[in-house]
Structure formats: structure tokens, C-alpha cells
Amino acid sequence: MFYPAVGSPATTELLPTEAVDGNYFTTLGVTVPSGRSLSVEDDAGARREVVLSHALWRRRFAANPNIVGQTVRVSGHPFEVISVAPESCN
């Protein structure tokens, strides 16, 4: 786990993060409630994508139901939000 600067429109803060591969959620049997999960096809791509924790989504993004497709900055780099993890993953 590492703690990069994660920027939202309101603020930037150091947050615990994990870099995972496309099998992460399927291996754990986790289904995301909105958007889409990471997939093996994402591993080969050059796109930067992020799954927000449910707690961060509620706290920092006011549980915005339209967060999927928006961009957040992680260590200064843009990442597309592809989903929000279920509350049980916090």
C-alpha cells in the first residue's frame, strides 16, 4: 500500500491506495454496484483507471451518482473513475 496525493475538485489529500490487476475483483468475488470492474483487458492498456472506495466516494465526492466517467488526479496523473467499490470492501 502506498499513499499518493489524490486530487478531487475540492481538495488534494494523501490516501492509502493499492495498484491491482484486472483479476483483483473477480478473484475476490466482488461485484461493483456502479460502473464496471477492472478486467484482464485493462492490464494491457495504457489507460489510467481507478475504482474509488465506497467511503472515499461518500466522503470526498458526496456520493455523486455521476462520478463514473469523471477524472481524478493520483500523484498528478489523470485517472478515469470506472466504478465505486461496494461498501463491504471498505
Side-chain angles (χ1 to χ4, degrees), residues 2-7 12-14 17 72-79:
F2 57 103
Y3 294 81
V6 177
T12 298
E13 58 188 314
L14 298 178
T17 61
V72 297
R73 298 190 76 74
V74 179
S75 294
H77 300 282
F79 281 72

Side-chain angles (χ1 to χ4, degrees), residues 7 16 21 27 30 32-33 45 49 54 60 77 81-82 84 89-90:
D21 68 13
T27 299
V30 173
V32 296
E49 299 167 323
H54 193 271
R60 181 57 54 215
H77 300 282
V81 177
I82 61 168
V84 175
C89 288
N90 286 332

Side-chain angles (χ1 to χ4, degrees), residues 4-90:
V6 177
S8 69
T11 190
T12 298
E13 58 188 314
L14 298 178
L15 296 173
T17 61
E18 293 182 59
V20 299
D21 68 13
N23 287 319
Y24 182 78
F25 290 102
T26 55
T27 299
L28 296 176
V30 173
T31 303
V32 296
S34 64
R36 68 174 183 82
S37 187
L38 292 169
S39 68
V40 175
E41 291 78 28
D42 293 321
D43 292 345
R47 296 177 54 177
R48 292 184 172 126
E49 299 167 323
V50 64
V51 175
L52 299 177
S53 74
H54 193 271
L56 179 64
W57 172 65
R58 291 182 58 84
R59 181 175 47 84
R60 181 57 54 215
F61 298 95
N64 179 352
N66 299 314
I67 193 69
V68 173
Q70 292 188 24
T71 300
V72 297
R73 298 190 76 74
V74 179
S75 294
H77 300 282
F79 281 72
E80 178 186 353
V81 177
I82 61 168
S83 61
V84 175
E87 190 171 8
S88 62
C89 288
N90 286 332

